[in-house]
Amino acid sequence: MTTGKRLAKYALAYKKIIFAALIMLTISVGTDLAGPFIAKNIIDQHILGIESVWYETSSGKKAVNYDGKFYKREKYVSSREQKGRQIQILQVGSKFVFIDEKLEFDGKRTLNAGTLEIKNGVRRVEYQAKVLRLSEILAFYQPEILPIVQLLAIYFGLLVVSAVFQYGERFLLQKSANRIIQKMREDVYGQIQRLPINYFDNLPAGKVVARITNDTEAIRELYVTVLATFFTSSIYITGIYVALFILNVKLAAICLLLLPIIYVWMLIYRKYASKYNRVIRSKNSEINAMINESIQGMSIIQAFSREKEAKTDFEKLNHEHFNYQNKLLSLNSLTSHNLVGVLRNLIFVAFIWYFGDQALNASTILSLGMLYAFVDYINRLFQPVQGIVNQLANLELALVAGERVFKLMDEPGENVSSERIARFKGYVIFDHVSFGYKDGEYVLKNIDFEAKHGETVALVGHTGSGKSSIMNLLFRFYDCQKGKITIDGRDIETIPRQSIRNHMGIVLQDPYLFTGTIASNVSLNDSAITKEKVEKALKDVGADKVFKHLENGYDEPVLEKGSTLSSGQRQIISFARALAFDPAILILDEATSSIDTETETVIQEAMEVLKKGRTTFIIAHRLSTIRNADQIIVLDRGMIVEKGTHDQLMEKKGKYYQMYELQQGNTDLAG
C-alpha cells in the first residue's frame, strides 16, 4: 500500500468529521461566491438600470415625477398598466440627460448644446436631450434604493453565513487532523514497544524520537494545512468555474487551460521536491541523533576537551542540511508567486483581448456588471490556485515524513501479550546454546548448564566473554540460533516474551530511573504494587539507612536517569524495584561494581534478602562477592571453560583460580 493510501486510511477513520467539514466548506464557498453575482445585479439592474427603457404612466408605486409627468422603468410596469410614450435616460460623461423618444442604437455618446450625438461605426444619430439636475437624478434613482439596500443586506448576511461555516469547517478539519496524529503517534509508540531490542542496536535514539515527533508533526501539517487548503481550493475553483460558465462560456473555457498547466507543474515539482525532502528529513534525524548523543555524553566531551571537534562534526552535518534546504527553497521560489503571477497575467491578457473584441462588435452590448463579476471571479480564482501551489512543498514534506513513519511501522515486531502464566519455580536449563548478534559470528558457543530452583549461579569472565549475552537470551531480548533454553521444562521460545518477563527481575550495573519519585520508580506505576508493598521493599533492602536524610522521604523527586542521586542510591532503588515485583528468576548484572564500600555492605545484605526462594544469576567482576554461589560458571570467548563452587574451582587452580588470585593482589600469577 502506498504512503498516500495509508495516510488516507488514517483519515477515513474520522470520515464523519471530515465529511461534515466538507459540507460546511461547500456551504461557505457557495455563500461567498454569491457575492459577485449580487454585485453584478446591483450594478446592471439598479445602478445602471436608470439607462433602461422608461414609459410614461400614471402615478403610483415606483413612478417618478419629472416635469409634471410620471415615468416608470419597464421592469416595474405591470401588465395591467397602460404604457405611454417611451423615454430614456443616458449618462454622457459626468452628466445624465433625458430623451423623450426611443433609442435606435447605442455607441459613443457626445453632448453639445442640448443635442446628443451617438456614433457606432458608420452610423450616426442625434437626439434632443435635457440635462438632469442632481435632485432629478436622485428622483429617478429613488425606486432603486430599497432593492439595493435589500441586496446589500443579503450580501452581508451571506458573508456572515460564510464566516460561520468557514469557522466550523476549519475547526472540524483541525480537530480531525489532531485526532489522526494522536492515533498515529500512539500507533508509532506502540510499534516501538513491539520491536525487538536488536532493532535499536543499529538505530540511534535521536532518530527514533524524530520519527515520533518531527515526522508526525510534518504529517499533521498535511491534514491541518495541506489537505484543508486542497479541499478548500478545489471547491473554490469548482465554484468559480461554475460561476464563470454561467456568465460566459467562451471565457470560462479559456480559464480552464489553467488546470493542465498546474497539473504538469505539480508533476515536475514533485519529482525534485521528493528527492530533496528525503535528504532533508534524513539529515534532520541525524542532527537529532547527534544532539541526543552529545547531551548524553557531555561530561565525556568536556572532560576530554572535545568540544571543538564535536562542534565541527555538527556544523558539517548542519551545513549539508542547509544546502538541501536551499535547493528546496530555490525550487519553491520558482512556484508560488512567480508561477501564479505569470498565469494571472496570461489570463488577464486573454480577458482583455476577449472583451476588447466584444466591444468592437456592434451587435454586442457589454455589461459593466458582468465585467466587474468577471474581474472579481478571476482575481478570486488565483487565490486558491496560489494556495495549492504554495502547499506543494508541505505536501512533499508530509509524504516523505509519512514514508519514514510507515517504514518504522512496517518493521517486523511482536504484539505485546497480555497472557499471564503461573509463577515459575525457576528451574533453568541452557541446552547446548549458540548465539551471535550477527549471522555466523557466534559470541556464545555450545553453552550448556542448569540452574535449579533457589540456586545462585554466578557468571564470571573477562569483558566480552559472553556473560551479558547469556542474560539477554534468558530475558528473550534475543533468541538463540542453536540449542534451546527451558524454564521448568518449557522452551522459552514457546512463551510470549512479556509472559516470561512477568516472573523475572533484573538489577543492572547502572540502573535506569525515570522522572518521578523514589516510590514511583519502585512501583513503575503498576497498580498491583501498593504503597505498602513499595515501602516494605525499600525497607527490606536497607533504603531507610540510605534515604533517611531526604526531606520528602520516598516521595523525593527523581530527575531523568536519577541524575541527582548517587550510584548507591540508584542501585538501592533498583533492588527495591526487583523485590517489589517478586520475581521467580533474578538477574544481578554487576550490581555492586560501581558503588562505595559502605553502600556495598547495605547492598550485600539486600542481595541476600532478594535471593531467598529465587533462582538467581549474578554477573560479577568482584569475585569476592560470589564466594557463596551454588555454582560458578567461568566463560572465556563465549565458551564455558569451568563450572563448580568457589572451593571446587580454587582446587582446580585453573582460570577462575588465576582471576581470583589476581584480584586478591597476588601478582605472581599475572603471567
Side-chain angles (χ1 to χ4, degrees):
M1 190 182 294
T2 63
T3 301
K5 288 182 178 179
R6 294 180 74 167
L7 290 170
K9 187 177 178 181
Y10 268 95
L12 288 175
Y14 303 96
K15 56 182 177 291
K16 290 183 180 178
I17 298 177
I18 295 174
F19 184 67
L22 291 180
I23 291 175
M24 298 183 82
L25 174 61
T26 304
I27 295 172
S28 171
V29 170
T31 51
D32 186 42
L33 292 181
F37 270 106
I38 294 174
K40 175 184 178 297
N41 192 272
I42 291 173
I43 294 170
D44 288 346
Q45 299 300 320
H46 300 288
I47 295 176
L48 298 182
I50 195 173
E51 291 196 354
S52 61
V53 176
W54 292 72
Y55 289 100
E56 184 180 339
T57 63
S58 58
S59 62
K61 189 177 181 182
K62 294 189 181 293
V64 178
N65 185 0
Y66 173 70
D67 204 15
K69 296 178 182 178
F70 290 92
Y71 300 95
K72 275 188 184 181
R73 277 184 59 188
E74 186 177 24
K75 66 180 290 187
Y76 298 136
V77 178
S78 66
S79 58
R80 296 189 300 273
E81 288 185 271
Q82 187 175 358
K83 295 180 182 178
R85 187 163 49 97
Q86 180 178 326
I87 63 101
Q88 200 131 10
I89 297 168
L90 300 175
Q91 184 178 3
V92 185
S94 60
K95 298 178 180 179
F96 283 85
V97 297
F98 180 92
I99 302 173
D100 61 354
E101 57 183 297
K102 184 180 178 181
L103 199 67
E104 293 181 28
F105 59 86
D106 201 1
K108 184 179 179 182
R109 304 168 184 175
T110 306
L111 182 65
N112 186 18
T115 301
L116 175 66
E117 182 183 76
I118 297 179
K119 288 183 179 180
N120 192 326
V122 295
R123 295 194 295 174
R124 174 180 173 278
V125 66
E126 290 183 350
Y127 300 95
Q128 290 300 310
K130 296 179 181 178
V131 178
L132 297 174
R133 298 190 302 272
L134 179 61
S135 59
E136 293 170 335
I137 295 171
L138 291 176
F140 277 103
Y141 267 116
Q142 191 63 37
E144 312 303 326
I145 292 176
L146 182 60
I148 289 174
V149 170
Q150 290 173 339
L151 287 173
L152 288 175
I154 293 171
Y155 186 39
F156 178 76
L158 289 175
L159 288 178
V160 172
V161 171
S162 177
V164 170
F165 279 93
Q166 191 175 67
Y167 166 80
E169 163 258 322
R170 288 182 178 175
F171 176 81
L172 290 179
L173 278 181
Q174 294 211 17
K175 180 180 179 181
S176 63
N178 288 335
R179 286 198 175 177
I180 290 167
I181 296 305
Q182 180 187 29
K183 176 70 167 60
M184 184 176 289
R185 280 181 174 160
E186 288 173 355
D187 289 348
V188 175
Y189 191 77
Q191 168 69 356
I192 290 174
Q193 312 302 313
R194 296 176 64 251
L195 293 175
I197 294 296
N198 60 354
Y199 177 81
F200 301 98
D201 291 343
N202 303 311
L203 190 69
K207 288 192 175 185
V208 179
V209 171
R211 301 279 175 94
I212 301 175
T213 55
N214 296 1
D215 288 341
T216 53
E217 189 61 26
I219 296 171
R220 180 181 175 277
E221 283 300 305
L222 170 70
Y223 293 111
V224 171
T225 306
V226 179
L227 291 185
T229 301
F230 273 59
F231 284 148
T232 305
S233 298
S234 299
I235 292 176
Y236 257 101
I237 290 171
T238 303
I240 289 170
Y241 272 117
V242 169
L244 288 175
F245 272 103
I246 292 172
L247 291 172
N248 189 293
V249 174
K250 188 174 181 181
L251 188 60
I254 294 173
C255 292
L256 276 176
L257 293 174
L258 276 176
L259 300 182
I261 293 173
I262 293 172
Y263 179 71
V264 170
W265 178 254
M266 286 175 67
L267 294 180
I268 297 171
Y269 175 86
R270 290 191 62 188
K271 178 181 178 182
Y272 293 98
S274 178
K275 174 185 174 183
Y276 296 155
N277 272 311
R278 279 190 176 86
V279 177
I280 289 169
R281 300 308 294 181
S282 177
K283 295 299 177 186
N284 190 55
S285 290
E286 289 178 30
I287 287 172
N288 279 345
M290 182 175 287
I291 291 172
N292 180 69
E293 187 178 60
S294 297
I295 292 172
Q296 298 289 342
M298 188 57 68
S299 58
I300 302 299
I301 292 173
Q302 293 182 357
F304 287 90
S305 301
R306 305 299 295 172
E307 294 93 341
K308 185 176 180 180
E309 288 76 9
K311 183 181 178 184
T312 301
D313 292 342
F314 180 81
E315 285 177 348
K316 180 182 177 182
L317 187 58
N318 198 32
H319 184 70
E320 292 173 358
H321 181 268
F322 169 78
N323 283 339
Y324 276 93
Q325 283 279 27
N326 273 352
K327 289 181 180 181
L328 187 61
L329 180 63
S330 299
L331 183 63
N332 291 337
S333 297
L334 292 172
T335 59
S336 60
H337 183 73
N338 290 337
L339 175 66
V340 174
V342 169
L343 293 177
R344 179 187 281 112
N345 291 335
L346 289 175
I347 291 297
F348 271 113
V349 167
F351 175 78
I352 293 167
W353 168 81
Y354 177 77
F355 271 99
D357 181 65
Q358 292 289 85
L360 294 174
N361 188 345
S363 62
T364 304
I365 299 176
L366 292 177
S367 160
L368 183 60
M370 180 175 287
L371 187 66
Y372 168 83
F374 256 106
V375 172
D376 194 337
Y377 279 127
I378 290 174
N379 276 326
R380 288 173 182 244
L381 178 63
F382 283 95
Q383 292 174 9
V385 168
Q386 183 150 357
I388 289 175
V389 173
N390 285 347
Q391 291 303 323
L392 289 178
N394 287 334
L395 173 63
E396 283 307 311
L397 187 65
L399 290 176
V400 171
E403 186 178 310
R404 287 161 52 81
V405 169
F406 291 132
K407 183 179 179 182
L408 172 63
M409 294 178 70
D410 289 339
E411 290 289 337
E414 186 176 320
N415 290 330
V416 177
S417 174
S418 58
E419 180 186 340
R420 294 292 180 265
I421 59 176
R423 191 174 188 273
F424 296 136
K425 291 181 180 178
Y427 183 29
V428 179
I429 297 177
F430 274 66
D431 185 6
H432 301 285
V433 170
S434 294
F435 165 73
Y437 294 100
K438 296 180 181 178
D439 290 338
E441 298 180 16
Y442 291 113
V443 295
L444 293 177
K445 304 165 189 173
N446 200 33
I447 301 298
D448 190 65
F449 70 89
E450 64 179 49
K452 297 177 181 177
H453 168 63
E455 280 191 350
T456 297
V457 178
L459 301 173
V460 299
H462 298 298
T463 301
S465 60
K467 304 183 297 297
S468 295
S469 296
I470 289 176
M471 296 303 97
N472 285 338
L473 293 180
L474 186 58
F475 253 89
R476 281 204 71 195
F477 290 141
Y478 303 88
D479 288 325
C480 58
Q481 282 90 13
K482 293 182 180 179
K484 66 178 180 178
I485 303 168
T486 62
I487 299 177
D488 297 345
R490 187 174 175 184
D491 190 339
I492 63 172
E493 292 190 23
T494 65
I495 309 171
R497 298 175 196 269
Q498 290 75 30
S499 301
I500 292 175
R501 295 166 191 164
N502 282 335
H503 302 298
M504 288 188 181
I506 189 168
V507 179
L508 299 172
Q509 176 183 0
D510 186 17
Y512 194 95
L513 299 186
F514 299 90
T515 302
T517 64
I518 292 172
S520 69
N521 268 283
V522 173
S523 67
L524 295 179
N525 296 316
D526 189 330
S527 57
I529 309 298
T530 63
K531 184 178 180 181
E532 291 73 20
K533 189 178 285 189
V534 169
E535 291 177 352
K536 184 177 186 305
L538 285 163
K539 182 179 180 182
D540 288 345
V541 297
D544 51 338
K545 302 172 186 174
V546 179
F547 295 116
K548 59 185 177 182
H549 65 285
L550 295 179
E551 181 181 348
N552 299 309
Y554 299 144
D555 291 324
E556 183 74 17
V558 175
L559 301 181
E560 182 185 2
K561 297 180 72 174
S563 57
T564 58
L565 302 174
S566 69
S567 297
Q569 288 172 328
R570 293 198 298 270
Q571 201 64 277
I572 285 291
I573 294 172
S574 183
F575 271 98
R577 177 193 294 166
L579 183 59
F581 280 84
D582 190 25
I585 298 172
L586 178 66
I587 298 171
L588 305 176
D589 189 355
E590 303 185 38
T592 62
S593 63
S594 60
I595 55 177
D596 57 84
T597 306
E598 183 180 347
T599 308
E600 183 181 357
T601 304
V602 176
I603 289 180
Q604 287 291 353
E605 294 173 0
M607 286 173 61
E608 294 305 317
V609 173
L610 272 174
K611 290 192 294 183
K612 287 179 182 177
R614 297 180 176 85
T615 303
T616 305
F617 292 87
I618 301 176
I619 298 175
H621 282 308
R622 295 189 194 179
L623 302 185
S624 59
T625 63
I626 57 165
R627 292 186 58 171
N628 297 325
D630 298 299
Q631 184 180 183
I632 298 173
I633 297 174
V634 184
L635 295 162
D636 185 33
R637 298 178 184 177
M639 295 184 290
I640 297 176
V641 292
E642 290 180 342
K643 281 192 291 187
T645 64
H646 172 78
D647 293 337
Q648 290 170 344
L649 294 175
M650 290 299 288
E651 287 178 9
K652 286 184 180 180
K653 297 187 182 295
K655 189 81 173 177
Y656 179 81
Y657 174 79
Q658 294 177 11
M659 293 168 61
Y660 187 83
E661 289 297 314
L662 282 171
Q663 286 193 10
Q664 296 303 310
N666 189 349
T667 56
D668 293 338
L669 296 171

